[in-house]
Amino acid sequence: MSAAVHNEPPAAAVAADPHWAAKMARLKSRKAAEVPLYLWEDQKLRDRFEEALREAKTARQLADADRSNTALAKEARTAEAALETARAAYEEDCEVLTFRALPGETFADLIKQHPPTEEQAEAGSDWNEDAFPAALISAASVDGMSETDAAELLSEWGMADRVELFQAALAAQQAKRSDWGKGSGPTRS
């Protein structure tokens, strides 16, 4: 019987390799994925911002297409100024909640702490649909939202906003920041 073949380089050689040490340092220093959730109070401000964005883009495209037309250039500057006014009002009205991917097995452990009821499990749920959303929102919150605060928002907000709140926290756990190298990543020499 032959001995097993080990294709791994000696640990001392790996430790002495500055290329690997630098790569490992970069991998260790990467921040966890974050997902922002934008919430606004006044739908009209958001609609006005989006309209101003479209108008400024169109006006700039027209002005750039005919650089000799000073009227179009003036319209583009006016539309861009209106966009900045609309943007300031929208940003003033907007609240941002940020959610971060949980480290290691924390997400799996959180699911284990909130198992589905028998009925929920039979329906295909992996977690307790009553308790898990608030626990995940709190655990993933960069802003420091407590589980009590998350539960309160989930009980008081309308369906669409509740879903968005939970989905933002869940999306942070599922954010993909890697690639199998199928041609879409950066090339290195």
Side-chain angles (χ1 to χ4, degrees):
M1 196 171 258
S2 64
V5 176
H6 294 282
N7 292 327
E8 298 175 22
V14 172
D17 181 1
H19 169 75
W20 176 252
K23 183 175 281 203
M24 191 63 181
R26 284 192 312 272
L27 290 170
K28 286 181 175 181
S29 69
R30 291 187 63 177
K31 293 181 180 179
E34 291 187 354
V35 172
L37 175 64
Y38 300 93
L39 304 159
W40 63 91
E41 185 72 27
D42 188 342
Q43 176 70 35
K44 290 178 184 175
L45 287 174
R46 180 175 185 263
D47 292 346
R48 178 61 196 127
F49 167 69
E50 289 178 353
E51 179 184 335
L53 192 61
R54 285 188 301 273
E55 289 173 358
K57 181 180 177 183
T58 300
R60 176 52 51 206
Q61 287 172 337
L62 291 171
D64 288 348
D66 185 0
R67 294 191 183 271
S68 65
N69 189 326
T70 57
L72 289 177
K74 182 179 178 184
E75 286 177 24
R77 287 190 302 275
T78 301
E80 288 163 349
L83 170 60
E84 290 313 308
T85 300
R87 182 188 317 274
Y90 172 67
E91 288 176 357
E92 178 70 27
D93 185 60
C94 188
E95 191 66 50
V96 181
L97 297 175
T98 305
F99 300 96
R100 182 177 294 141
L102 300 173
E105 291 297 312
T106 306
F107 180 67
D109 291 343
L110 195 60
I111 291 173
K112 288 176 191 171
Q113 292 168 17
H114 300 87
T117 65
E118 192 173 311
E119 184 178 294
Q120 291 169 347
E122 286 175 7
S125 184
D126 292 330
W127 50 70
N128 184 299
E129 295 170 8
D130 300 318
F132 180 72
L136 177 61
I137 291 165
S138 175
S141 174
V142 171
D143 305 300
M145 185 183 301
S146 72
E147 194 168 332
T148 302
D149 289 340
E152 182 179 336
L153 294 177
L154 289 169
S155 71
E156 293 179 0
W157 284 3
M159 176 61 83
D161 290 332
R162 291 192 319 258
V163 168
E164 289 292 323
L165 180 60
F166 175 63
Q167 288 298 323
L170 187 59
Q173 311 318 305
Q174 300 170 334
K176 181 181 173 195
R177 299 187 313 164
S178 58
D179 182 319
W180 286 78
K182 297 178 183 169
S184 63
T187 58
R188 295 191 185 215
S189 47

